[in-house]
Amino acid sequence: MKKILIILLATVIIVSAISIPIILKGGAGKNTTDVPNGTYNNNVAENSNIKTNNEGSISIDVMFLNPNKQGDKILKFQVMLNNHSMDLSDLNLSKSVELVNDKGLSIKDGFNWKEEGSGHHVSGILSVENNINGKKILDNSTKSIKLVIKNIGGANTREFVWQSNELK
């Protein structure tokens, strides 16, 4: 009974985290990016920073928590993973991600994953230092940031992209 209650509570939290920004922004919008090769789906509510990918057996929603704060030392992303086929409790997302900007700067190591929830519906905060070899990944001149998640739920590569208008 307790496990069912926890799963129900986690589901309510995840649905709320996704729905509230959409409702506040005036409902569902359009895709922000047309994908030429069809490898990922970058759906987003208009003027929202939540990106969704439904490839494979796991649906992943990512919200860039501090895109407008180029001076921040740590970049933070809320990641919500949902499925009905596998337990995600032991997933260490920090080992499966890369952050790339439009200038080609890339961070593959040094991510921190703080997981919340368990079972089939897991969310957490993915964070990384806004610095690679003395250069900032996100600064005032950054035109885009791409979070790449690899080999999760049967999808080789998932890309979540924030354009310059979402970073200012």
Side-chain angles (χ1 to χ4, degrees):
M1 181 68 175
K2 187 175 182 181
K3 187 173 184 176
I4 293 172
L5 189 57
I6 291 171
I7 292 171
L8 222 65
L9 182 59
T11 303
V12 168
I13 291 169
I14 291 168
V15 170
S16 297
I18 295 168
S19 301
I20 290 172
I22 292 171
I23 292 167
L24 292 175
K25 297 294 181 184
K30 57 185 178 194
N31 287 349
T32 58
T33 306
D34 290 329
V35 181
N37 62 7
T39 58
Y40 64 96
N41 182 9
N42 217 19
N43 293 331
V44 65
E46 196 169 333
N47 298 321
S48 173
N49 67 1
I50 298 174
K51 309 296 180 182
T52 300
N53 180 292
N54 294 313
E55 287 182 79
S57 61
I58 299 173
S59 172
I60 302 178
D61 297 302
V62 180
M63 181 188 317
F64 193 174
L65 294 175
N66 57 337
N68 303 321
K69 298 182 179 172
Q70 291 83 4
D72 282 2
K73 291 184 178 185
I74 303 294
L75 300 175
K76 297 177 184 176
F77 301 86
Q78 181 174 4
V79 182
M80 296 154 278
L81 302 106
N82 295 291
N83 81 100
H84 295 286
S85 60
M86 63 187 352
D87 186 349
L88 301 171
S89 300
D90 294 326
L91 179 68
N92 184 353
L93 201 60
S94 67
K95 305 293 184 197
S96 305
V97 294
E98 178 181 7
L99 188 62
V100 182
N101 72 6
D102 60 289
K103 299 170 198 124
L105 292 175
S106 171
I107 298 176
K108 295 181 182 178
D109 297 314
F111 286 88
N112 182 29
W113 171 242
K114 184 176 178 185
E115 182 179 308
E116 301 169 359
S118 63
H120 299 282
H121 309 284
V122 172
S123 66
I125 303 297
L126 183 67
S127 59
V128 68
E129 191 172 333
N130 184 16
N131 182 343
I132 183 74
N133 300 325
K135 297 180 181 179
K136 288 190 181 277
I137 289 288
L138 178 62
D139 63 22
N140 289 330
S141 66
T142 305
K143 293 183 180 154
S144 67
I145 290 279
K146 175 172 51 176
L147 181 68
V148 180
I149 299 177
K150 299 176 184 177
N151 302 316
I152 301 290
N156 291 334
T157 303
R158 301 172 195 241
E159 297 180 348
F160 303 87
V161 180
W162 291 267
Q163 300 296 334
S164 59
N165 63 322
E166 299 168 297
L167 300 174
K168 306 286 181 214

